Amino acid sequence: MSVGTDEIIDALAKILVDELDLGLRADRVTATVPLMEEGLGLDSIAIIELIAAVEQKFEFQLLDEDLRTSTFENLDALARVVHERKFA
Amino acid sequence: MSDDVRRKTPEICGKRVRPFGPGDRLLGYTTKVAGASRVGAVLWGMGIAQLRMARRLAALGVPSLQAKLTNRDFRNGHYSHQGIELCGAAMEKLAAEQNVDVFILIANCAFANIALNTAVEDRRVCALALSNPYLTKQQKLELQRWSLVKKIFDPRKWLRLFAGRVDMGKNLDGAFHLFTGRPTEKSTVAAERAQLAKQVGPDMLLPAKLDECIRELCARGVEIFYSFSSTELGPRYFEKHYRASIDELRSTGALRTVVLDTDVHSTAEDHEGAVLHTEALLEWLVTTNTVRELITSERSSSVTP
């Protein structure tokens, strides 16, 4: 099955908006908006929940080297990691 | 690290971080391990760096609970909520979820002191990994002042203040007090600080007691790992006040102290210091007598999660 990063980004956005109960509006969750700090403002707890949700959704585990802040810079960065680990 | 202890895969746990403990004052996230050993780890903090450590521990067969205070924030006074009963609650939660009955406590900063005091009270603790603890009240004050200076000169913090995203009514007074060491004119802040000191006091570690605690724990066979950042005051206090005890206990192998070449205080955040800390801690863990034996002895008596 060929899955592109755009499809992964859509799935990740759906997790953020619909599953994690973070009160995020769908129109704010774009591929490039920063997930933390001045972007969507996700804190460390939300990031852990996002990691767990992503791993459940895509049925894989992020590697040690993926568990870095840079992976969670925005959905585009996260989607690229998911694609590389799961679909490449 | 030898291959015989690197063999487990962590389970992907539930999506949500749930509150638990007395008054639901804690948040916890468990990294489970199928066929886990009887030893589990309580890690204070919910950062990515700690999740990475949790998974490294899971690879050793050690399940863990990452715990964090709800709304923990020094500026808002929630610091007063921590205590050994909360550490005990985290241990109980992990025991219930993974059927572990022996614990490693891994903690940074003030939580390190709480963990040490918990270990003194609770004989289920077999190992302690403590980083950048407060050793004296003076050190604590200096650290808080330095932290505040860094905050003051961080433009992002100011942006947040001006954007109205932080309630500064109380925080500014509290911050001023910490920075100057003098009470502010507002009696409410002074009262809050007094209450905070009173509540924190019993669980904070004073120099005279530190020596006693470490000796007692070492005598009981508890393995202790102290790590300090090179730019912190801790190593100097440690060497100055406890040199004789440290040398003696180091020589028995009961205590290991490490100074990491990093200028960061917290090992909970994602930076090189956290990576160094994790590597040093794991290297220590697999060379300890007690923990290594507990990790490897489960092969014939696996625990079903």
Side-chain angles (χ1 to χ4, degrees), chain A residues 8-83:
Chain A
I8 298 171
I9 288 170
D10 288 345
L12 295 174
K14 193 171 173 55
I15 289 172
L16 279 177
V17 174
D18 296 338
E19 294 185 31
L20 294 187
D21 194 24
L22 299 169
L24 295 172
R25 289 200 328 262
D27 61 335
R28 286 193 64 208
V29 184
T30 65
T32 54
V33 66
L35 294 181
M36 293 179 272
E37 301 277 314
E38 286 81 13
L40 298 180
L42 268 60
D43 61 12
S44 59
I45 297 164
I47 291 294
I48 284 193
E49 292 182 333
L50 176 62
I51 291 168
V54 167
E55 292 184 340
Q56 283 190 345
K57 168 78 179 175
F58 293 100
E59 299 180 327
F60 82 113
Q61 281 208 328
L62 292 165
L63 302 179
D64 219 35
E65 66 213 58
D66 301 329
L67 294 174
R68 298 189 179 285
T69 306
S70 57
T71 302
F72 305 94
E73 186 181 346
N74 53 41
L75 290 187
D76 186 52
L78 180 55
R80 277 187 272 115
V81 172
V82 172
H83 186 269

Side-chain angles (χ1 to χ4, degrees), chain B residues 62-127:
Chain B
V62 178
S64 62
L65 175 76
Q66 286 176 256
K68 175 185 169 76
L69 289 169
T70 47
N71 300 321
R72 174 179 172 269
D73 190 327
F74 286 97
R75 292 166 303 179
N76 287 339
H78 292 290
Y79 186 48
S80 58
H81 291 318
Q82 47 189 294
I84 62 175
E85 80 280 8
L86 295 180
C87 196
M91 290 161 62
E92 292 303 332
K93 179 175 170 62
L94 183 58
E97 291 181 348
Q98 280 277 264
N99 200 23
V100 297
D101 59 2
V102 188
F103 296 89
I104 306 162
L105 304 182
I106 301 171
N108 178 70
C109 189
F111 289 105
N113 295 344
I114 305 296
L116 186 82
N117 284 296
T118 302
V120 170
E121 298 295 323
D122 195 322
R123 288 182 169 268
R124 295 175 299 171
V125 177
C126 68

Side-chain angles (χ1 to χ4, degrees), chain B residues 21-22 32 45 91 99 148-149 190 192 194 207 223 264 273 278-279:
Chain B
K32 296 183 178 178
M91 290 161 62
N99 200 23
L148 186 67
V149 168
E192 182 182 294
E223 314 262 9
V264 294
T278 297
E279 295 305 323

